[in-house]
Amino acid sequence: MNQWRYGKEMSNAQRYAIALVIALLAGALHWLLWPSVGALRPFVFYLPAAAVAAAALGPGPGVLLLLAGAIGTGWPLAALDAWTSPNGADPMRLALYLLLGGLLVGLGGSLRITRARAALAEDRLSMAIEGTGIGVFDIDLVERTVRASAVLARLAGAPVSNGAVPLDDWTARIPPHLLADSREHIKRRLKEGAAYYERELSVPSADGAPPRQLLLRVHVVWRGQRAVRLRGACVDVTERKRVDAQLEAAREQLSQQVDDLNHLHELSTQLLETPQLARQLRMILAALVHFHGARRGMVALCEPGADGLRVEASLGFDDAALAMAEGLSTGACAEACRQGARVVVEDTRASETFKACRDFFETQAIRAVHSTPLISSQGQVLGAITVHLDESRPPTEREHRLADICARKAAMFTERAHTRDELLATQGRFEAVLTSSGAPFVILRPVRQGERIVDFLWVYLNRAAAQALDCAPGEVVGQRVLQNASCRWMGHPAFSYCVTAIESAHTCEFDAVDHAGAEPRWLHCIASPIPDGLGVWFTDISERMRNEQLLRDSDRRKDEFLATLAHELRNPLAPIRQATLLAMSPHASEEQKRWSCEVIDRQVSHMALLLDDLLDVSRITRGALALRRSPTDLAGVLASAAETARPLIDAKGHQLLSFVDERPTVFDADPLRLAQVVGNLLTNAAKYTDPGGTIELHAGQRGDAIVIEVRDNGIGIPPDSIPEAFRMFAQLHHAGERTSGGLGIGLAMSKGLVELHGGTLTAASDGVGQGSVFTVRLPAGQASVPAPAGGDEPATRERRRLRVLIADDNRDASDTLAALLHADGHEVHMAYDGDEAVARWREERPDVCLLDIGMPGRTGHQVAREIRRSPGGGNTLLVAVTGWSQLHDRELALEAGFDLHLTKPVSPLQISHLLDHQRRPAATAAAP
């Protein structure tokens, strides 16, 4: 360390302490030599000390010594008075002392600063040389000595020396071959007269490490024609050389990667322009073979639904080699597909794993194999791409990376091709389904003006849609929907629904009406948004809409029927109640009571006829009405019908004209039902003809048919309402108040009865106010003449008193029937629930039981079963008397053990007739 640097690095206290010590030493010398120096005492010791202190310690310590000398030479000798003596000699010396001292202190301080700067510069240079690893040397060719820096000494493996070292000592440490090469190079440069040259040396390391690379820069000093000195620097460039080598390797690698990327980019462009998968795979394989520097390879794909591989693309193999390769089940391709990972065979001749493939490898001179699996985006192995090398070696990292890239490309295009094939197959199946589907389906594309949809274009129509629209698909595809005459139904509001479906991205269902044909056609549409368009399913619902309208009309007629039925059933109740009150009045005469009973009987008969008509209609509708055919006289049927309608005809003042063939006409028919039909037609004619009208009845045989016509000059029927007139519950609304009531079932029932006879009932009218004609046509057939009744049956039967049990929870109905039967001479017993009925039967053992079905306790069915299970129960006639009249109800009654099933209301005459039939067998059974 430089002493000036050391002094500079001391603290102020240390510097002033040293200055004080120097002052004390100077003072001691001054006292010791005081007699010898005399008047020059301050100049002898203190001035040099101050100069030395200023140069070594700084100006401060130098000034301190200067002041110490001034004080030390005057004050201890007690000569202060001499300094101030009048002659002024001592003050002059003091001034001179201070002046010289100041100059010396200033000079010493300047010297100190200069040396400090020099030391600092030297330190910086040394630090720079040490920090940069530059070794400096100076070779004296005349003295044959060397001065070398510490860095160079370390580089050369020589001891560090601050002085000159003999040149031979240095050269002894240099390897002989390197020393000889260096001397030869120096001689050549000196011979050339070079003033400066550079060269690189490779110096072996003593520790066996890689040799170090040194760069020498030499300056030759010439004296005349003679080189006297070699000065220069030496730098260890080993690290730089290593970095340069790495940079060069990286540059070469980067250049290789750029070439690879360019090749891959060109490959991608070519692949996009090639649609066939086989050509795409061959192009990818060619690129990978090129990257490996090989000449052969193949791409094998997995067979769908099989374990084998199919060579899809190859390079460098003939057909025989490919056939041999496809027959290998243990090759590198197959193994890569099984493992789903890369398979590398570095030396086919030494591989034990693929021993079965050696014949193929030897035949084709294959020495190494690099196979990479093709894996889809879903993780499925699609196949493998394989490169076959002519030399035994493993693939490089670059080849691994490029093989992965090419495998991904091959997998992507293979997967895309499979997806395209599946899509085409699915589309084909979809189109086949749509084409063969019976449901019409179309695809529409919106036509926009700005953001607004103004129309649609036909994109697709299936066969059913083309048939429904009565057009060929080629005629409308590409055309606008609203401009197509066959699709006017797509206008408002159907068009609005289609627009809403697209804008809201939701399915819309709606009905549209097509008025283009003779009759409106209803279409039910389902519009579903699809990419870039709209899919519309539609189906013809015209039949359904007509049926719904018929149901609504039927429902309306039902409501009208119920209202009419309530009216018709309510009308008889008023006279019945009034007649009952009159008969119960204590002031009523016998004549009035008799008249009241006749009114009640007449009104009840009217209500019974209404109910019978309803039951007949139900039976006709269900096909459960059985005709009682017999040889029928036409004149008798017409007379009975005219008698039925006569009260209404006379009440309205009509004239009934009959035109019937005079010769007798007998045919096979049910006379009661046929008279009911003609009576209904005459009654309707009387209802719908203004008072004082004319009704004509024409009848006779016309060929092989019996024809009956009823003509009137009444209100007539609108031609479009004629089919409606024969429907159930139909009412002629244009009749207004001319009608006198009715349930609207007469014509429907009459038509059903005529059809049961195998005939037809038709109506005709020229319009409103033009009258009507109803025509009945019946097959004439061959009627047999009934045989005269035998004379064995007596005119009157013997009456016998029977035991009758009546069970009904309606007390009024059961009590009145019991009174009637009791008046007829029968023994009658009553029960008002099922349990009581069983008990009374066991007590009385009646001949006949009249049982209601819906009773409290046990039902009528349960009572019948209990009686039939009891001893002697088979001798009792069980009759169900109920309001349930359906066929199913009759079957249930017979199944429970009833002998007969009667529907309420049951007339007393019907009950008397039933009991008359029961008397004789009972009497016979009871006879001894």
Side-chain angles (χ1 to χ4, degrees):
M1 178 66 68
N2 190 287
Q3 59 179 349
W4 302 107
R5 286 184 60 194
Y6 179 77
K8 182 180 179 181
E9 292 175 357
M10 291 187 297
S11 64
N12 290 333
Q14 291 175 336
R15 289 189 288 112
Y16 281 101
I18 294 174
L20 184 59
V21 172
I22 294 174
L24 291 176
L25 291 176
L29 290 176
H30 174 73
W31 281 100
L32 291 175
L33 299 177
W34 180 76
S36 300
V37 296
L40 298 176
R41 58 184 178 275
F43 300 95
V44 176
F45 300 105
Y46 288 99
L47 288 177
V52 172
L57 302 175
V63 173
L64 178 63
L65 274 173
L66 186 63
L67 295 177
I71 296 172
T73 56
W75 175 73
L77 299 177
L80 294 175
D81 55 344
W83 291 87
T84 59
S85 61
N87 55 20
D90 288 336
M92 291 297 294
R93 286 197 301 271
L94 178 61
L96 181 60
Y97 168 76
L98 293 176
L99 179 60
L100 292 175
L103 292 173
L104 291 175
V105 169
L107 183 61
S110 299
L111 180 61
R112 183 177 185 277
I113 292 173
T114 301
R115 298 195 61 180
R117 290 177 177 173
L120 180 61
E122 183 181 352
D123 289 344
R124 288 178 176 174
L125 179 60
S126 177
M127 290 174 61
I129 294 175
E130 292 288 339
T132 56
I134 299 177
V136 181
F137 61 90
D138 183 4
I139 301 176
D140 189 344
L141 298 179
V142 177
E143 299 293 334
R144 295 188 61 80
T145 59
V146 177
R147 292 180 179 273
S149 65
V151 174
L152 182 60
R154 286 194 294 270
L155 290 175
V160 179
S161 175
N162 293 329
V165 177
L167 181 59
D168 294 336
D169 292 346
W170 266 81
T171 56
R173 300 178 181 276
I174 300 175
H177 68 281
L178 181 60
L179 179 61
D181 180 69
S182 298
R183 284 177 175 174
E184 183 64 28
H185 185 79
I186 292 173
K187 288 180 181 179
R188 187 169 62 254
R189 291 294 186 176
L190 294 179
K191 186 176 181 180
E192 295 173 355
Y196 174 84
Y197 68 90
E198 288 186 3
R199 73 168 302 198
E200 292 182 2
L201 296 176
S202 179
V203 179
S205 298
D207 55 358
R212 291 175 299 170
Q213 303 295 322
L214 302 180
L215 175 63
L216 296 178
R217 290 193 178 103
V218 181
H219 175 64
V220 182
V221 180
W222 294 88
R223 185 178 298 165
Q225 297 297 322
R226 181 182 178 185
V228 294
R229 304 185 80 85
L230 297 178
R231 296 173 179 171
C234 177
V235 181
D236 189 349
V237 293
T238 304
E239 185 65 22
R240 192 190 74 182
K241 286 291 185 180
R242 186 182 65 81
V243 172
D244 289 343
Q246 291 179 349
L247 289 176
E248 181 64 22
R251 187 190 66 77
E252 293 178 357
Q253 184 178 6
L254 180 61
S255 176
Q256 184 66 58
Q257 290 179 353
V258 170
D259 293 341
D260 294 342
L261 288 176
N262 289 334
H263 199 150
L264 290 174
H265 177 71
E266 183 179 356
L267 173 64
S268 300
T269 303
Q270 295 174 353
L271 289 174
L272 294 176
E273 298 173 352
T274 304
Q276 294 85 7
L277 177 62
R279 292 185 58 190
Q280 291 171 339
L281 295 179
R282 181 177 175 83
M283 292 166 62
I284 296 173
L285 176 63
L288 185 59
V289 168
H290 168 74
F291 292 144
H292 280 75
R295 57 187 181 88
R296 288 175 294 182
M298 66 177 61
V299 178
L301 300 182
C302 298
E303 288 281 4
D307 296 333
L309 294 175
R310 181 186 75 256
V311 176
E312 189 69 20
S314 64
L315 196 67
F317 291 103
D318 55 18
D319 294 340
L322 293 177
M324 184 182 296
E326 287 184 345
L328 297 176
S329 60
T330 59
C333 295
E335 190 65 24
C337 292
R338 277 193 292 268
Q339 296 181 7
R342 187 193 320 277
V343 172
V344 175
V345 184
E346 298 182 6
D347 190 349
T348 57
R349 291 170 293 186
S351 175
E352 295 295 330
T353 305
F354 299 98
K355 185 182 297 183
C357 305
R358 284 184 181 175
D359 292 341
F360 174 71
F361 292 151
E362 290 297 331
T363 302
Q364 302 298 321
I366 297 172
R367 297 295 175 258
V369 180
H370 180 199
S371 184
T372 306
L374 310 182
I375 301 177
S376 69
S377 58
Q378 305 299 324
Q380 179 185 2
V381 177
L382 304 177
I385 183 169
T386 306
V387 177
H388 301 84
L389 305 175
D390 294 336
E391 69 276 6
S392 300
R393 67 172 180 85
T396 63
E397 184 65 27
R398 165 181 168 269
E399 291 168 349
H400 280 175
R401 184 175 64 256
L402 293 173
D404 291 339
I405 293 175
C406 292
R408 284 196 295 270
K409 285 183 176 292
M412 179 183 68
F413 282 96
T414 302
E415 187 176 17
R416 184 181 299 176
H418 289 173
T419 303
R420 183 178 62 249
D421 294 341
E422 293 176 1
L423 179 61
L424 291 175
T426 302
Q427 184 176 359
R429 289 192 296 267
F430 179 70
E431 290 183 356
V433 169
L434 288 179
T435 301
S436 60
S437 173
F441 176 75
V442 300
I443 296 178
L444 307 177
R445 180 179 301 144
V447 178
R448 300 178 184 269
Q449 286 184 356
E451 296 296 328
R452 189 167 62 93
I453 298 177
V454 297
D455 203 343
F456 288 93
L457 291 178
W458 295 103
V459 177
Y460 173 80
L461 292 84
N462 69 347
R463 185 183 304 164
Q467 293 175 354
L469 298 177
D470 193 20
C471 63
E475 297 176 358
V476 297
V477 170
Q479 303 296 321
R480 292 199 173 195
V481 172
L482 298 181
Q483 297 176 357
N484 192 335
S486 61
C487 299
R488 297 299 184 188
W489 58 272
M490 278 296 292
H492 187 79
F495 181 81
S496 300
Y497 282 112
C498 293
V499 173
T500 301
I502 290 182
E503 293 179 346
S504 64
H506 287 86
T507 299
C508 290
E509 292 192 36
F510 58 91
D511 293 335
V513 186
D514 184 8
H515 297 282
E519 293 185 359
R521 183 175 60 157
W522 286 85
L523 301 172
H524 180 69
C525 306
I526 302 176
S528 299
I530 60 176
D532 299 328
L534 186 72
V536 181
W537 298 88
F538 64 92
T539 183
D540 193 333
I541 60 170
S542 302
E543 186 65 25
R544 190 188 78 184
M545 297 299 289
R546 284 191 288 269
N547 291 335
E548 289 178 357
Q549 184 61 40
L550 291 176
L551 288 175
R552 285 192 291 269
D553 294 341
S554 176
D555 187 64
R556 176 181 53 79
R557 289 193 298 270
K558 178 200 69 177
D559 293 339
E560 294 174 354
F561 161 74
L562 292 176
T564 305
L565 177 62
H567 174 73
E568 292 294 326
L569 292 177
R570 215 179 276 119
N571 283 341
L573 292 179
I576 290 174
R577 171 172 286 185
Q578 294 167 2
T580 302
L581 291 175
L582 179 60
M584 294 174 62
S585 175
H587 305 290
S589 63
E590 291 298 326
E591 183 66 24
Q592 289 176 328
K593 291 181 179 179
R594 187 166 50 254
W595 177 82
S596 298
C597 291
E598 291 175 355
V599 169
I600 293 173
D601 181 67
R602 186 166 54 252
Q603 296 299 326
V604 169
S605 298
H606 177 65
M607 294 178 66
L609 287 175
L610 288 176
L611 296 178
D612 287 342
D613 285 346
L614 289 175
L615 293 176
D616 287 343
V617 169
S618 175
R619 294 188 186 103
I620 293 172
T621 303
R622 293 183 287 108
L625 182 66
L627 297 177
R628 295 181 175 90
R629 291 178 177 269
S630 64
T632 302
D633 181 24
L634 179 60
V637 170
L638 298 179
S640 177
E643 182 181 356
T644 301
R646 178 62 66 179
L648 181 59
I649 293 174
D650 294 342
K652 298 192 70 173
H654 297 316
Q655 181 181 10
L656 177 61
L657 304 177
S658 296
F659 302 93
V660 182
D661 292 349
E662 295 181 357
R663 63 184 182 87
T665 302
V666 180
F667 61 100
D668 188 37
D670 186 333
L672 179 63
R673 295 300 183 182
L674 194 55
Q676 185 179 1
V677 170
V678 179
N680 280 338
L681 297 179
L682 291 173
T683 301
N684 282 343
K687 283 182 182 180
Y688 298 106
T689 301
D690 292 335
T694 301
I695 301 174
E696 298 179 2
L697 177 60
H698 298 262
Q701 184 169 355
R702 307 289 185 266
D704 57 353
I706 304 299
V707 179
I708 303 172
E709 288 185 355
V710 177
R711 299 173 180 268
D712 64 68
N713 58 353
I715 64 174
I717 306 175
D720 57 348
S721 298
I722 290 177
E724 184 180 355
F726 290 99
R727 290 174 182 163
M728 191 71 68
F729 314 132
Q731 298 282 351
L732 296 178
H733 297 283
H734 71 282
E737 297 181 354
R738 292 187 179 92
T739 177
S740 58
L743 299 180
I745 62 176
L747 287 178
M749 182 179 65
S750 298
K751 189 173 187 296
L753 289 173
V754 171
E755 289 176 351
L756 285 177
H757 282 83
T760 60
L761 174 58
T762 59
S765 176
D766 293 335
V768 178
Q770 301 299 317
S772 304
V773 178
F774 287 86
T775 303
V776 176
R777 291 183 178 273
L778 298 171
Q782 296 292 330
S784 60
V785 179
D792 296 338
E793 185 69 23
T796 60
R797 296 181 179 180
E798 179 185 0
R799 288 183 177 270
R800 180 177 178 275
R801 188 180 186 188
L802 297 175
R803 293 188 301 276
V804 181
L805 173 62
I806 300 175
D808 196 332
D809 58 336
N810 188 333
R811 289 179 177 268
D812 291 340
S814 59
D815 291 348
T816 54
L817 180 59
L820 290 173
L821 295 180
H822 185 74
D824 203 23
H826 299 293
E827 178 185 346
V828 182
H829 302 277
M830 306 295 296
Y832 299 108
D833 59 48
D835 296 335
E836 186 180 0
V838 174
R840 297 303 299 270
W841 180 86
R842 289 173 179 168
E843 293 173 0
E844 304 297 337
R845 296 289 177 170
D847 301 310
V848 179
C849 289
L850 304 177
L851 304 178
D852 184 26
I853 298 300
M855 293 187 293
R858 301 186 190 185
T859 65
H861 295 152
Q862 292 172 335
V863 173
R865 292 189 184 96
E866 183 66 24
I867 291 174
R868 291 305 187 201
R869 286 196 297 266
S870 300
N875 298 325
T876 301
L877 178 66
L878 300 182
V879 181
V881 182
T882 177
W884 304 103
S885 61
Q886 302 294 324
L887 178 62
H888 178 66
D889 301 320
R890 294 176 181 271
E891 292 174 352
L892 288 178
L894 297 177
E895 189 178 308
F898 284 101
D899 297 301
L900 296 173
H901 181 280
L902 302 181
T903 303
K904 294 179 180 180
V906 182
S907 68
L909 294 177
Q910 189 176 7
I911 296 294
S912 297
H913 179 73
L914 184 149
L915 295 179
D916 287 343
H917 271 62
Q918 175 63 15
R919 279 198 187 103
R920 191 159 61 96
T924 303

